[in-house]
């Protein structure tokens, strides 16, 4: 295959490298290889798969500087943050290298004296995985590691904006002793044409997708044609509730860490910050000081904390949300404007209220909208008043309130005095329009296993 497409740097606007441009013919060839490879891979022992996964993790760690540089170049993540992402990506591979050995079956008592009932997990089959640009390494390992550990073969389509990290991860897999046809990466500039081949082919038994709710709904419908299993990690609109008894200083630093991680381009970052009247002014003052001090700049510079947004479309959406809020009466206490190129100034908005776009849609940018509240119940009601249900956060020193609110929040993930809860051993995923299925922990591997019931009459 000779076709390629240019991968553009959001920081410079220039091409970083060319990536192979795969189309339907390459997709068909990849499926044929994945089907054959699955028959061999599923028969390896969990110990063999575990050893390869561990070797993969070791190679990723040894390449952390290279991988971080690729991420900074292709999608603009500050290089120090990108090294953190490499460790996060590795944590999934390490976890599933161990979890491969703990895929237990069960025996169930029979109603008949001469029968025995066995329940045996088995890999679902070849998997098609679609990953986003915002975590070019970790979203790949969060899908591929459990699938490979379970005995599935995987074909992965990375986002058009970030194929270079994905290609490097596939090379490291092979260097680690992983069979090339068991984990294939297929970049493309035309995802609709490429993906169509996978949705039509009954040999692909599972779709795992991370991306927008709009696209996820379409892919679920397309997967139904061949009755594939699906895991969908979709959009979020995370509320942060800061109650009257919160530790304001800790809330300030954790909200800032959550909100400005990856320039606000994460599905779980703070999108709506509800602050109780009693601490509102103190919070705004200290938070604004922290946000004003953030260093915006070149993602390859070690000192940069906030890089550019990924593309012009993303930048335009952030600008439109801020302009809409300002036009409807919000105030920009910090920032409020675009910066050089695709940068957007880290922004704090106060006086945000219902009816503004920023409270209804995922912004995916470095903008922190603050909403004042006086009644706890009203804040929880507003927090739940959204079609999304991925992550929510609350700050309080009162244990009863912490439980009451955590249980009332209609979300898949709740951080209590914790702005960064994601961890390889915990279930990541949402309810409502934020998706189906879980990634991470013992639950993540179940998404790649079918149960076979074997009934034995003696
Ligand atoms: C995401 O934005 O989808 C991933 C964030 C995380 O894993 O913490």
């Amino acid at each position: 295959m000779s076709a390629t497409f240019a991968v553009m740097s959001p920081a410079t606007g220039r091409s970083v490298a060319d990536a192979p441009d795969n189309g339907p013919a390459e997709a068909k060839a990849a499926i044929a290889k994945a089907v054959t490879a699955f028959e061999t891979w599923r028969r390896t022992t969990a110990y063999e798969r575990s050893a390869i996964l561990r070797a993969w993790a070791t190679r990723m760690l040894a390449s952390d500087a290279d991988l971080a540089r690729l991420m900074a170049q292709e999608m603009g993540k500050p290089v120090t943050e990108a090294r953190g992402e490499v460790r996060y990506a590795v944590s999934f591979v390490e976890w599933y290298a161990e979890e491969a050995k703990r895929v237990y079956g069960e025996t169930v008592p029979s109603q008949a004296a001469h029968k025995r009932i066995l329940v045996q997990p088995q890999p679902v089959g070849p998997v098609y995985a679609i990953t986003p640009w915002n975590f070019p390494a970790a979203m790949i390992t969060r899908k591929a590691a459990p699938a490979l550990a379970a005995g599935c073969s995987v074909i992965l389509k990375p986002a058009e904006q970030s194929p270079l990290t994905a290609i490097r991860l596939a090379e490291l897999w092979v260097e680690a002793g992983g069979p090339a046809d068991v984990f294939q990466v297929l970049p493309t500039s035309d995802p609709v044409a490429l993906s169509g081949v996978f949705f039509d082919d009954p040999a692909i038994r599972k779709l795992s997708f991370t991306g927008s709710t709009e696209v996820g709904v379409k892919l679920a419908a397309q997967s139904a044609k061949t009755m594939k299993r699906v895991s969908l990690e979709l959009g979020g609109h995370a509320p942060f509730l800061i109650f009257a008894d919160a530790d304001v200083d800790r809330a300030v630093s954790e909200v800032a860490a959550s909100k400005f991680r990856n320039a606000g381009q994460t599905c779980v970052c703070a999108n709506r910050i509800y602050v109780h009247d009693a601490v509102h002014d103190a919070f705004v003052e200290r938070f604004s000081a922290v946000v004003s001090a953030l260093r915006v700049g070149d993602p390859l510079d070690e000192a940069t904390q906030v890089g550019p947004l990924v593309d012009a479309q993303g930048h335009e959406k952030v600008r439109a949300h801020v302009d809409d809020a300002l036009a409807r009466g919000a105030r920009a206490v910090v920032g409020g404007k675009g910066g050089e190129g695709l940068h957007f100034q880290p922004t704090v908005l106060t006086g945000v209220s219902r009816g503004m776009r920023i409270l209804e849609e995922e912004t995916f940018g470095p903008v922190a909208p603050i909403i004042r509240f006086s009644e706890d119940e009203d804040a929880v009601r507003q927090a739940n008043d959204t079609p999304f249900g991925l992550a929510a956060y609350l700050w309080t020193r009162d244990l009863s309130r912490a439980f009451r609110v955590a249980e009332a929040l209609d979300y898949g993930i709740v951080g209590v005095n914790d702005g960064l809860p994601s961890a390889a051993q915990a279930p990541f995923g949402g309810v409502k329009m934020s998706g189906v299925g879980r990634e991470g922990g013992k639950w993540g591997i179940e998404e790649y296993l079918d149960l076979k019931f074997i009934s034995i009459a003696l």
Side-chain angles (χ1 to χ4, degrees):
M1 191 203 50
S2 52
T4 58
F5 66 100
V7 181
M8 307 301 286
S9 157
T12 64
R14 290 194 291 273
S15 164
V16 178
D18 288 338
D21 199 359
N22 293 281
E26 288 80 21
K28 285 183 189 143
I31 293 173
K33 286 195 261 179
V35 167
T36 307
F38 172 61
E39 290 310 321
T40 314
W41 185 246
R42 70 182 304 181
R43 288 184 175 77
T44 55
T45 66
Y47 283 75
E48 288 167 310
R49 296 196 293 277
S50 176
I52 296 176
L53 284 167
R54 274 187 279 118
W56 195 27
T58 305
R59 275 173 174 72
M60 277 183 216
L61 273 182
S63 307
D64 69 339
D66 282 357
L67 289 166
R69 199 177 164 78
L70 283 177
M71 285 188 244
Q73 287 176 316
E74 65 182 347
M75 51 69 70
K77 183 169 294 198
V79 72
T80 47
E81 191 179 333
R83 284 200 295 272
E85 183 181 335
V86 176
R87 288 192 294 279
Y88 184 40
V90 166
S91 72
F92 290 104
V93 183
E94 285 175 341
W95 175 265
Y96 287 107
E98 292 308 313
E99 211 56 14
K101 301 176 211 160
R102 280 181 269 284
V103 176
Y104 303 133
E106 288 183 63
T107 60
V108 181
S110 168
Q111 77 284 13
H114 71 293
K115 285 197 180 183
R116 302 291 179 270
I117 296 173
L118 267 58
V119 180
Q120 199 170 291
Q122 56 179 37
V124 293
V127 172
Y128 182 46
I130 304 179
T131 51
W133 50 263
N134 62 342
F135 286 84
M139 295 306 99
I140 290 179
T141 57
R142 191 153 84 182
K143 295 180 190 313
L148 296 165
C152 298
S153 51
V154 177
I155 303 170
L156 184 131
K157 185 200 79 60
E160 302 87 275
Q161 295 91 336
S162 60
L164 305 178
T165 309
I167 291 169
R168 187 72 195 117
L169 289 180
E171 288 165 1
L172 292 172
W173 165 258
V174 172
E175 286 171 27
D181 293 351
V182 166
F183 177 53
Q184 303 176 69
V185 166
L186 253 59
T188 184
S189 65
D190 186 352
V192 175
L194 185 96
S195 292
V197 176
F198 291 91
F199 292 116
D200 288 344
D201 196 326
I204 297 295
R205 298 308 318 134
K206 161 93 191 176
L207 164 74
S208 181
F209 169 72
T210 295
S212 72
T213 296
E214 195 193 345
V215 175
V217 167
K218 287 187 191 146
L219 301 189
Q222 284 183 269
S223 299
K225 288 188 297 188
T226 49
M227 213 43 88
K228 299 185 201 310
R229 284 184 57 182
V230 294
S231 301
L232 305 169
E233 199 265 275
L234 308 178
H237 203 9
F240 266 69
L241 306 179
I242 300 171
F243 290 99
D245 64 345
D247 177 337
V248 174
D249 286 327
R250 259 198 70 197
V252 163
S253 61
E254 298 249 342
V255 174
S258 160
K259 175 72 258 185
F260 297 100
R261 175 183 177 213
N262 202 21
Q265 302 171 111
T266 81
C267 304
V268 291
C269 74
N271 264 347
R272 299 172 287 149
I273 304 163
Y274 296 92
V275 189
H276 191 275
D277 273 334
V279 288
H280 177 273
D281 293 352
F283 177 82
V284 170
E285 190 189 326
R286 293 180 220 172
F287 185 59
S288 300
V290 169
V291 177
S292 308
L294 287 171
R295 292 188 66 154
V296 178
D298 177 358
L300 287 170
D301 183 338
E302 292 283 328
T304 294
Q305 292 168 294
V306 181
L309 295 173
V310 74
D311 55 25
Q313 205 187 338
H315 193 270
E316 173 52 27
K317 185 176 188 196
V318 175
R319 201 194 48 73
H321 280 196
V322 170
D323 287 354
D324 171 76
L326 295 176
R328 290 169 193 268
R331 190 162 85 86
V333 193
V334 181
K337 294 195 184 69
E340 211 181 300
L342 291 177
H343 286 90
F344 200 93
Q345 294 176 351
T347 296
V348 179
L349 298 177
T350 55
V352 175
S353 59
R354 256 173 261 186
M356 298 180 183
R357 281 183 71 188
I358 204 154
L359 290 193
E360 270 141 40
E361 300 165 35
E362 195 176 23
T363 305
F364 242 55
V367 183
I370 297 177
I371 310 107
R372 205 184 249 277
F373 74 90
S374 48
E375 300 294 331
D376 289 11
E377 290 70 26
D378 181 44
V380 173
R381 212 175 31 73
Q382 290 191 56
N384 283 338
D385 186 16
T386 168
F388 298 108
L390 185 55
Y393 306 83
L394 65 111
W395 259 259
T396 180
R397 290 179 165 110
D398 176 340
L399 187 61
S400 303
R401 178 187 273 134
F403 268 97
R404 203 171 53 244
V405 175
E407 288 168 9
L409 286 168
D410 206 0
Y411 287 83
I413 303 167
V414 176
V416 178
N417 299 327
D418 182 4
L420 299 168
S422 305
Q425 65 274 32
F428 187 104
V431 297
K432 300 177 8 192
M433 296 307 276
S434 288
V436 289
R438 292 293 179 267
E439 296 190 309
K442 65 176 184 174
W443 306 272
I445 199 163
E446 287 168 7
E447 302 281 335
Y448 299 96
L449 295 167
D450 279 330
L451 292 181
K452 181 172 279 177
F453 156 38
I454 303 177
S455 181
I456 305 172
L458 303 179

